[in-house]
Amino acid sequence: MGSVPTKRETFMPTLRAQYLGQRMRKWREDRDMTLKYAAAYVGVEFSTLARYERAEWPFRPDHIVALLDMYGVADEAEREELLTLAKSAWRMHQWSYPDGSTNELHTAGVGHPWVERQAEEVHVYGGMLIPGLLHNQDYAAAIIESYTPRADARVFDQHLKAHMARQERLYDRPPVRVNALVEEAALGRPVGSRLVLRAQLEHLVHLVDKLPHVDIRVLTTGLGMHPGVHGAFTVYQMPRPYPEVAFAQHLGGQLLMESGLAKRHVQAHKQLWEQTALGPRESIELIDKLAEEAG
């Protein structure tokens, strides 16, 4: 996991540091306090506090305690979570398990949903299934039913609602850009039913036609070995100056990856996108053809 950085080292703006900075900035702004005022309270320059909030350098734990006192944050769970984040802000990567727990206490907020909401671009490779940001409701429901039976209506509806809320990013102002790579085999897999599949494929064509920030390219079944055969993944391009984050999941849980691990996924997507996949027109023509065959 690495060691605590010294002042001579360049601090990488980890997800934990970004999340902590965002939370602390919100507390300050909610209390209508300026950077200059808050910085003077803890005895630092206002530019130093600004760097803390931008995750250019990790907050000192004693500064967290002092600022939370000044902001009037009395909730013990909130205070403990933020203090724990300050102590572990230099750590990279986060693993979360199927039950929602994480590999460290008090870091549940630094998860996949939060990262996806921050991202400006999403570069995704879907191997066995069509990527989640591109689902229509029936296709999403069929996937959710595989791990949450419809009989448990309350939990099923919660999962479906949360899943479909992700699609709102496509219509934000500004919207998130999506470059999606999809295996031809995933486009032919009858998730739910052939009719559900056909509607989902038509939905993909509609998204590309109506949303210029959505691009879908297909990897045909005749391809040999390529970087995607090791499993589906997503790369999130975070707002500048923050580095990319990669995401992958399987039955054991979900993993957010930073630094070199993220770079490997960036390079894999770039190679597949530029050298391996069909072009944009050929991809949509193939999806259209598969939709007709699905019906």
Side-chain angles (χ1 to χ4, degrees):
M1 298 288 279
S3 58
V4 178
T6 69
K7 289 188 177 180
R8 296 185 185 88
E9 295 176 313
T10 300
F11 175 70
M12 178 181 178
T14 65
L15 289 176
R16 288 170 174 81
Q18 292 176 53
Y19 182 72
L20 176 61
Q22 189 179 98
R23 290 271 292 275
M24 293 302 292
R25 182 173 64 250
K26 187 175 188 307
W27 274 117
R28 178 177 60 78
E29 292 174 346
D30 285 349
R31 297 300 189 261
D32 199 26
M33 294 182 183
T34 64
L35 272 168
K36 186 174 182 180
Y37 183 87
Y41 183 83
V42 294
V44 299
E45 296 290 333
F46 77 90
S47 59
T48 299
L49 184 56
R51 286 194 287 271
Y52 287 167
E53 291 185 357
R54 293 195 300 265
E56 293 176 7
W57 190 256
F59 271 97
R60 282 174 39 179
D62 59 323
H63 288 166
I64 291 289
V65 173
L67 288 168
L68 292 178
D69 287 345
M70 182 176 64
Y71 300 154
V73 181
D75 183 86
E76 285 299 326
E78 173 83 356
R79 294 175 66 93
E80 185 178 357
E81 179 180 4
L82 295 175
L83 186 57
T84 300
L85 281 167
K87 292 176 179 178
S88 65
W90 53 276
R91 293 181 180 272
M92 289 183 287
H93 319 311
Q94 177 158 308
W95 183 262
S96 59
Y97 302 101
D99 63 1
S101 61
T102 64
N103 60 331
E104 289 187 13
L105 295 175
H106 312 299
T107 56
V110 194
H112 177 228
W114 180 79
V115 172
E116 190 165 85
R117 287 195 300 271
Q118 311 307 306
E120 293 182 340
E121 295 186 13
V122 177
H123 299 172
V124 57
Y125 163 71
M128 303 299 289
L129 295 168
I130 292 167
L133 273 174
L134 307 178
H135 291 170
N136 69 6
Q137 184 159 310
D138 289 340
Y139 189 90
I143 292 173
I144 292 170
E145 189 175 16
S146 70
Y147 58 84
T148 302
R150 287 179 186 264
D152 192 348
R154 182 182 63 83
V155 176
F156 180 87
D157 289 345
Q158 286 177 345
H159 280 287
L160 182 59
K161 183 178 180 180
H163 188 90
M164 295 311 297
R166 297 173 60 195
Q167 323 305 316
E168 295 172 7
R169 289 302 325 277
L170 302 179
Y171 303 94
D172 282 348
R173 292 291 181 268
V176 66
R177 174 160 192 83
V178 179
N179 288 343
L181 290 160
V182 189
E183 291 281 356
E184 184 179 351
L187 298 171
R189 179 165 288 107
V191 173
S193 70
R194 302 296 298 181
L195 291 178
V196 169
L197 175 62
R198 175 170 183 160
Q200 173 62 61
L201 297 177
E202 291 172 344
H203 180 65
L204 296 181
V205 174
H206 172 79
L207 288 175
V208 172
D209 183 50
K210 298 298 182 182
L211 303 179
H213 51 279
V214 174
D215 195 349
I216 302 172
R217 301 191 185 181
V218 178
L219 296 163
T220 59
T221 54
L223 292 173
M225 284 292 295
H226 63 73
V229 300
H230 302 290
F233 64 87
T234 303
V235 172
Y236 293 107
Q237 296 285 345
M238 305 296 276
R240 292 182 180 179
Y242 302 123
E244 308 94 340
V245 179
F247 171 78
Q249 67 180 89
H250 57 67
L251 290 175
Q254 303 177 340
L255 179 63
L256 286 167
M257 294 165 279
E258 304 173 67
S259 189
L261 290 180
K263 289 292 185 185
R264 291 180 63 180
H265 289 81
V266 171
Q267 292 163 1
H269 191 280
K270 181 180 175 66
Q271 179 182 331
L272 291 170
W273 189 260
E274 296 180 353
Q275 303 175 22
T276 312
L278 294 177
R281 177 180 293 182
E282 295 89 346
S283 293
I284 291 303
E285 288 175 351
L286 178 55
I287 295 172
D288 230 346
K289 177 176 178 289
L290 291 171
E292 291 179 5
E293 294 174 355

